[in-house]
Amino acid sequence: MNEQALQARPATIHAEEFFARARTRLGFDVPPGLIDPNIVPRTGDSGNDRMLEIVAQEQPVRPAAVLIPVVDHPEPTVLLTQRTEHLSSHAGQIAFPGGKIDAGDASPMDAALREADEEVGLKREFIEPIGYLDVYGTAFGFRILPTVARVKPGFKLTINEYEVDDAFEVPLAFLMNPENHQVHMKEFRGMERSYYAMPFAERYIWGATAGILRVLYERIYLA
C-alpha cells in the first residue's frame, strides 16, 4: 500500500464539488481489463496482485458491474446492501447493488442500473450515472466495473428478499475519511494479502466493497 496515501486526509469538499470532481475525473469508456483475461487488475498491493494473477489463470473472466449510489442529501450518503446468507458468493456481506453482466445489457452501466432495480427497487429516474471507476478484481474470479452515480432523494425501495437482507445508507464523509480505512491482513495460499475494512456502527464493510470505496476516495480526493 502507498504509505503516503494511507496517511492522507481528505480535502473538505461539499456535495456539489464531489459530484463535479467525479464528472471531471470519470468517464464511460469501458476498460479492456473487464473482459481481457490477459489484463490483471492492479491494486497497488503486491500480495493482492499476485493473488489475482493466480485466480485469473485458474478461472474464466467473469465480468460484473455494480452501482455506487451516492444519495444527494445535504450530507451525502452511499446506499449499500447486506446480502442474504444463502447466496453462493459473498453471502451475508455488505455490497453495492450489482451482479454479473448479462448478454442483454447494453453496457456495464446498464447492468448496474438493472441490478439496482432488481435487488432493491431503485428506479432509473432517480439515478444520474456519472462514470466508471477502474476494474476491480476479486478472489472469486470476478472483474467488477463500478458506476458512480448521483441519486435523487425521495426514492422508495422494494427489497428482493432472495438476494438482499437489508439496504441502508452510510455517510459519504465517513467512507471517504482515510482514518476509517483499516488495513487487515489475510493469508492466501501461503502469501500475505491485505484488504480494507470500514466498520460502521454494527456494520462490517470489508473486502471488495471497502476496496472499491478506497479506489473512489483515491480518484476523487487524491487525484
mmCIF file of all heavy atoms in Angstrom, residues 6 11 16 21 36-37 45 48 52 67 76 84 88 99 114 123 127 132 140-141 151 160 178 192 197:
data_model
loop_
_atom_site.group_PDB
_atom_site.id
_atom_site.type_symbol
_atom_site.label_atom_id
_atom_site.label_comp_id
_atom_site.label_asym_id
_atom_site.label_seq_id
_atom_site.Cartn_x
_atom_site.Cartn_y
_atom_site.Cartn_z
ATOM 1 N N LEU A 6 -2.146 6.279 2.624
ATOM 2 C CA LEU A 6 -2.811 5.816 3.833
ATOM 3 C C LEU A 6 -2.887 6.914 4.882
ATOM 4 O O LEU A 6 -3.832 6.979 5.656
ATOM 5 C CB LEU A 6 -2.057 4.615 4.406
ATOM 6 C CG LEU A 6 -2.258 3.275 3.700
ATOM 7 C CD1 LEU A 6 -1.331 2.232 4.296
ATOM 8 C CD2 LEU A 6 -3.697 2.813 3.822
ATOM 9 N N ALA A 11 -9.649 16.220 1.511
ATOM 10 C CA ALA A 11 -9.987 17.633 1.480
ATOM 11 C C ALA A 11 -11.448 17.785 1.879
ATOM 12 O O ALA A 11 -12.270 16.920 1.626
ATOM 13 C CB ALA A 11 -9.757 18.194 0.078
ATOM 14 N N GLU A 16 -21.657 19.327 -3.996
ATOM 15 C CA GLU A 16 -21.570 19.785 -5.387
ATOM 16 C C GLU A 16 -20.156 19.623 -5.927
ATOM 17 O O GLU A 16 -19.963 19.239 -7.087
ATOM 18 C CB GLU A 16 -22.018 21.249 -5.499
ATOM 19 C CG GLU A 16 -23.518 21.443 -5.414
ATOM 20 C CD GLU A 16 -24.270 20.697 -6.511
ATOM 21 O OE1 GLU A 16 -23.757 20.595 -7.643
ATOM 22 O OE2 GLU A 16 -25.375 20.191 -6.231
ATOM 23 N N ARG A 21 -16.138 16.999 -9.290
ATOM 24 C CA ARG A 21 -14.864 16.298 -9.464
ATOM 25 C C ARG A 21 -15.085 14.928 -10.120
ATOM 26 O O ARG A 21 -14.315 14.514 -10.997
ATOM 27 C CB ARG A 21 -14.175 16.097 -8.121
ATOM 28 C CG ARG A 21 -13.595 17.354 -7.508
ATOM 29 C CD ARG A 21 -12.737 16.974 -6.311
ATOM 30 N NE ARG A 21 -12.285 18.141 -5.561
ATOM 31 C CZ ARG A 21 -11.434 18.085 -4.559
ATOM 32 N NH1 ARG A 21 -10.949 16.909 -4.177
ATOM 33 N NH2 ARG A 21 -11.056 19.164 -3.918
ATOM 34 N N ASP A 36 -10.716 -8.855 -20.884
ATOM 35 C CA ASP A 36 -9.479 -9.421 -21.412
ATOM 36 C C ASP A 36 -8.778 -10.230 -20.326
ATOM 37 O O ASP A 36 -8.296 -9.669 -19.343
ATOM 38 C CB ASP A 36 -8.559 -8.302 -21.910
ATOM 39 C CG ASP A 36 -7.335 -8.830 -22.648
ATOM 40 O OD1 ASP A 36 -7.002 -10.023 -22.473
ATOM 41 O OD2 ASP A 36 -6.713 -8.051 -23.389
ATOM 42 N N PRO A 37 -8.685 -11.573 -20.488
ATOM 43 C CA PRO A 37 -8.067 -12.394 -19.442
ATOM 44 C C PRO A 37 -6.580 -12.142 -19.275
ATOM 45 O O PRO A 37 -5.992 -12.544 -18.270
ATOM 46 C CB PRO A 37 -8.332 -13.829 -19.917
ATOM 47 C CG PRO A 37 -8.483 -13.709 -21.398
ATOM 48 C CD PRO A 37 -9.133 -12.377 -21.631
ATOM 49 N N ASP A 45 -1.096 -3.433 -4.082
ATOM 50 C CA ASP A 45 -0.556 -4.312 -3.050
ATOM 51 C C ASP A 45 -0.015 -5.560 -3.731
ATOM 52 O O ASP A 45 -0.749 -6.268 -4.416
ATOM 53 C CB ASP A 45 -1.642 -4.678 -2.045
ATOM 54 C CG ASP A 45 -1.128 -5.627 -0.971
ATOM 55 O OD1 ASP A 45 -0.473 -5.159 -0.023
ATOM 56 O OD2 ASP A 45 -1.367 -6.836 -1.099
ATOM 57 N N ASN A 48 -1.851 -8.889 -3.001
ATOM 58 C CA ASN A 48 -3.168 -8.901 -3.635
ATOM 59 C C ASN A 48 -3.037 -9.102 -5.139
ATOM 60 O O ASN A 48 -3.789 -9.864 -5.753
ATOM 61 C CB ASN A 48 -3.891 -7.588 -3.332
ATOM 62 C CG ASN A 48 -5.344 -7.803 -2.987
ATOM 63 O OD1 ASN A 48 -5.732 -8.847 -2.491
ATOM 64 N ND2 ASN A 48 -6.149 -6.799 -3.255
ATOM 65 N N LEU A 52 -4.540 -12.185 -7.531
ATOM 66 C CA LEU A 52 -5.389 -12.002 -8.702
ATOM 67 C C LEU A 52 -4.783 -12.654 -9.941
ATOM 68 O O LEU A 52 -5.506 -13.186 -10.791
ATOM 69 C CB LEU A 52 -5.623 -10.505 -8.949
ATOM 70 C CG LEU A 52 -6.426 -9.779 -7.870
ATOM 71 C CD1 LEU A 52 -6.506 -8.284 -8.176
ATOM 72 C CD2 LEU A 52 -7.817 -10.368 -7.738
ATOM 73 N N LEU A 67 -23.257 -0.611 -8.854
ATOM 74 C CA LEU A 67 -23.597 0.806 -8.783
ATOM 75 C C LEU A 67 -23.123 1.355 -7.447
ATOM 76 O O LEU A 67 -23.330 0.726 -6.402
ATOM 77 C CB LEU A 67 -25.113 0.983 -8.907
ATOM 78 C CG LEU A 67 -25.619 2.414 -9.071
ATOM 79 C CD1 LEU A 67 -25.262 2.956 -10.453
ATOM 80 C CD2 LEU A 67 -27.132 2.479 -8.850
ATOM 81 N N PRO A 76 -24.260 13.977 1.903
ATOM 82 C CA PRO A 76 -24.477 12.807 1.033
ATOM 83 C C PRO A 76 -24.207 11.486 1.747
ATOM 84 O O PRO A 76 -23.412 11.406 2.697
ATOM 85 C CB PRO A 76 -23.471 13.034 -0.101
ATOM 86 C CG PRO A 76 -23.154 14.482 -0.071
ATOM 87 C CD PRO A 76 -23.255 14.898 1.362
ATOM 88 N N THR A 84 -28.019 -11.785 1.417
ATOM 89 C CA THR A 84 -28.565 -12.879 2.211
ATOM 90 C C THR A 84 -27.501 -13.952 2.440
ATOM 91 O O THR A 84 -26.531 -14.060 1.703
ATOM 92 C CB THR A 84 -29.779 -13.497 1.515
ATOM 93 O OG1 THR A 84 -29.411 -13.907 0.186
ATOM 94 C CG2 THR A 84 -30.923 -12.500 1.430
ATOM 95 N N SER A 88 -24.362 -17.960 -3.140
ATOM 96 C CA SER A 88 -23.166 -18.775 -3.390
ATOM 97 C C SER A 88 -21.874 -17.986 -3.250
ATOM 98 O O SER A 88 -20.808 -18.559 -3.002
ATOM 99 C CB SER A 88 -23.243 -19.400 -4.787
ATOM 100 O OG SER A 88 -23.350 -18.393 -5.779
ATOM 101 N N GLY A 99 -24.175 -7.077 -9.987
ATOM 102 C CA GLY A 99 -24.019 -8.503 -10.244
ATOM 103 C C GLY A 99 -23.408 -8.738 -11.604
ATOM 104 O O GLY A 99 -22.827 -7.833 -12.217
ATOM 105 N N ARG A 114 -29.814 -2.082 -13.921
ATOM 106 C CA ARG A 114 -30.779 -3.187 -13.882
ATOM 107 C C ARG A 114 -30.720 -3.914 -12.542
ATOM 108 O O ARG A 114 -31.752 -4.195 -11.923
ATOM 109 C CB ARG A 114 -30.500 -4.163 -15.028
ATOM 110 C CG ARG A 114 -31.322 -5.453 -14.959
ATOM 111 C CD ARG A 114 -30.972 -6.412 -16.076
ATOM 112 N NE ARG A 114 -29.558 -6.761 -16.107
ATOM 113 C CZ ARG A 114 -28.962 -7.612 -15.263
ATOM 114 N NH1 ARG A 114 -29.666 -8.177 -14.276
ATOM 115 N NH2 ARG A 114 -27.670 -7.886 -15.374
ATOM 116 N N LYS A 123 -35.147 2.908 -8.801
ATOM 117 C CA LYS A 123 -35.567 3.156 -10.169
ATOM 118 C C LYS A 123 -34.625 4.116 -10.895
ATOM 119 O O LYS A 123 -34.036 5.017 -10.297
ATOM 120 C CB LYS A 123 -36.989 3.723 -10.196
ATOM 121 C CG LYS A 123 -38.018 2.811 -9.552
ATOM 122 C CD LYS A 123 -38.080 1.448 -10.248
ATOM 123 C CE LYS A 123 -39.138 0.544 -9.637
ATOM 124 N NZ LYS A 123 -39.153 -0.807 -10.262
ATOM 125 N N ILE A 127 -31.685 8.130 -10.789
ATOM 126 C CA ILE A 127 -30.248 7.896 -10.889
ATOM 127 C C ILE A 127 -29.635 8.691 -12.035
ATOM 128 O O ILE A 127 -30.105 8.621 -13.173
ATOM 129 C CB ILE A 127 -29.954 6.391 -11.102
ATOM 130 C CG1 ILE A 127 -30.593 5.561 -9.990
ATOM 131 C CG2 ILE A 127 -28.454 6.145 -11.168
ATOM 132 C CD1 ILE A 127 -30.539 4.059 -10.231
ATOM 133 N N TYR A 132 -17.393 5.558 -14.770
ATOM 134 C CA TYR A 132 -16.819 4.329 -14.235
ATOM 135 C C TYR A 132 -15.559 4.600 -13.418
ATOM 136 O O TYR A 132 -14.763 5.490 -13.755
ATOM 137 C CB TYR A 132 -16.420 3.384 -15.368
ATOM 138 C CG TYR A 132 -17.543 2.889 -16.239
ATOM 139 C CD1 TYR A 132 -17.441 2.946 -17.628
ATOM 140 C CD2 TYR A 132 -18.697 2.333 -15.688
ATOM 141 C CE1 TYR A 132 -18.455 2.464 -18.445
ATOM 142 C CE2 TYR A 132 -19.719 1.861 -16.498
ATOM 143 C CZ TYR A 132 -19.594 1.931 -17.875
ATOM 144 O OH TYR A 132 -20.594 1.457 -18.687
ATOM 145 N N PHE A 140 -12.831 -14.267 -6.024
ATOM 146 C CA PHE A 140 -13.850 -15.173 -6.539
ATOM 147 C C PHE A 140 -13.854 -15.212 -8.067
ATOM 148 O O PHE A 140 -14.712 -15.842 -8.672
ATOM 149 C CB PHE A 140 -15.234 -14.760 -6.032
ATOM 150 C CG PHE A 140 -15.448 -15.043 -4.569
ATOM 151 C CD1 PHE A 140 -15.120 -14.094 -3.614
ATOM 152 C CD2 PHE A 140 -15.962 -16.252 -4.143
ATOM 153 C CE1 PHE A 140 -15.315 -14.345 -2.262
ATOM 154 C CE2 PHE A 140 -16.155 -16.520 -2.797
ATOM 155 C CZ PHE A 140 -15.833 -15.566 -1.853
ATOM 156 N N GLY A 141 -12.892 -14.535 -8.689
ATOM 157 C CA GLY A 141 -12.789 -14.577 -10.139
ATOM 158 C C GLY A 141 -13.643 -13.559 -10.866
ATOM 159 O O GLY A 141 -13.817 -13.655 -12.086
ATOM 160 N N VAL A 151 -27.773 10.072 -6.886
ATOM 161 C CA VAL A 151 -29.137 9.586 -6.695
ATOM 162 C C VAL A 151 -29.967 10.668 -6.009
ATOM 163 O O VAL A 151 -29.575 11.200 -4.964
ATOM 164 C CB VAL A 151 -29.143 8.297 -5.854
ATOM 165 C CG1 VAL A 151 -30.573 7.829 -5.602
ATOM 166 C CG2 VAL A 151 -28.342 7.202 -6.553
ATOM 167 N N ASN A 160 -35.560 -7.184 -2.777
ATOM 168 C CA ASN A 160 -35.677 -8.565 -3.221
ATOM 169 C C ASN A 160 -35.122 -9.446 -2.099
ATOM 170 O O ASN A 160 -33.907 -9.577 -1.944
ATOM 171 C CB ASN A 160 -34.894 -8.763 -4.515
ATOM 172 C CG ASN A 160 -34.939 -10.189 -5.028
ATOM 173 O OD1 ASN A 160 -35.307 -11.116 -4.307
ATOM 174 N ND2 ASN A 160 -34.546 -10.384 -6.277
ATOM 175 N N PRO A 178 -9.909 8.679 5.332
ATOM 176 C CA PRO A 178 -8.933 7.588 5.406
ATOM 177 C C PRO A 178 -8.654 7.111 6.823
ATOM 178 O O PRO A 178 -8.120 6.015 7.004
ATOM 179 C CB PRO A 178 -7.686 8.184 4.751
ATOM 180 C CG PRO A 178 -7.845 9.654 4.882
ATOM 181 C CD PRO A 178 -9.324 9.913 4.776
ATOM 182 N N GLU A 192 0.793 -13.392 2.112
ATOM 183 C CA GLU A 192 0.029 -12.381 2.826
ATOM 184 C C GLU A 192 -0.604 -11.432 1.821
ATOM 185 O O GLU A 192 0.059 -10.940 0.913
ATOM 186 C CB GLU A 192 0.942 -11.592 3.779
ATOM 187 C CG GLU A 192 1.363 -12.351 5.025
ATOM 188 C CD GLU A 192 0.209 -12.552 5.988
ATOM 189 O OE1 GLU A 192 -0.543 -11.592 6.236
ATOM 190 O OE2 GLU A 192 0.051 -13.687 6.476
ATOM 191 N N ALA A 197 -11.053 -2.552 5.435
ATOM 192 C CA ALA A 197 -12.275 -2.713 6.219
ATOM 193 C C ALA A 197 -12.675 -1.345 6.753
ATOM 194 O O ALA A 197 -11.812 -0.542 7.135
ATOM 195 C CB ALA A 197 -12.070 -3.698 7.365
#
